[in-house]
Amino acid sequence: NPKMQTVQQYVLEPVKTGDLDDQTVAELLEVLQTVLDSVYELDRFSAVVNRMLGGKCGLLGVAGMGKNIFILGSYWSEIKRYDLMIKAKFQGVRSLQDLAAHQVACSI
């Protein structure tokens, strides 16, 4: 019985966002979640986030503590820089079979 590959699930929790407005924080979290769901190597994570945000975000580091990940960086608006810390809290794993079944169900 071969072991099936799994994809980790995370829930994002803003730890520090300065006084960045709620809409921008929500957009940033959406991008981070998208990247977490699609990039499996932490060394590529920062580059993909920066590309998706058009250079508005400079990630200083991504560090793991247990199964949780802490994302540190800065976000630049037109007039100000905001320092950020986001916790990606480990929630479990999904099998590729479950992911494929979900995609098929959504396309019907």
Side-chain angles (χ1 to χ4, degrees):
N1 195 9
K3 184 175 180 181
M4 192 179 325
Q5 290 185 321
T6 56
V7 178
Q8 297 183 355
Q9 291 179 299
Y10 292 92
V11 173
L12 296 177
E13 300 175 1
V15 175
K16 177 183 175 186
T17 58
D19 55 355
L20 197 59
D21 65 272
D22 291 342
Q23 180 180 350
T24 304
V25 170
E27 290 170 5
L28 178 62
L29 292 177
E30 185 177 332
V31 167
L32 291 173
Q33 188 70 59
T34 298
V35 176
L36 273 174
D37 290 345
S38 62
V39 174
Y40 307 111
E41 300 90 23
L42 288 180
D43 58 334
R44 290 188 52 232
F45 184 83
S46 296
V48 175
V49 169
N50 289 332
R51 186 174 63 244
M52 288 184 73
L53 291 171
K56 290 183 179 179
C57 189
L59 294 181
L60 302 175
V62 179
M65 182 176 206
K67 291 186 176 185
N68 297 322
I69 299 170
F70 290 87
I71 304 161
L72 306 171
S74 296
Y75 180 88
W76 291 276
S77 71
E78 295 175 5
I79 57 172
K80 188 174 179 182
R81 182 184 118 188
Y82 301 89
D83 292 325
L84 306 170
M85 181 171 19
I86 309 294
K87 178 181 180 182
K89 187 175 179 183
F90 180 76
Q91 290 294 300
V93 293
R94 297 177 290 189
S95 70
L96 291 178
Q97 181 180 12
D98 291 341
L99 292 171
H102 176 71
Q103 290 290 20
V104 169
C106 288
S107 66
I108 295 176

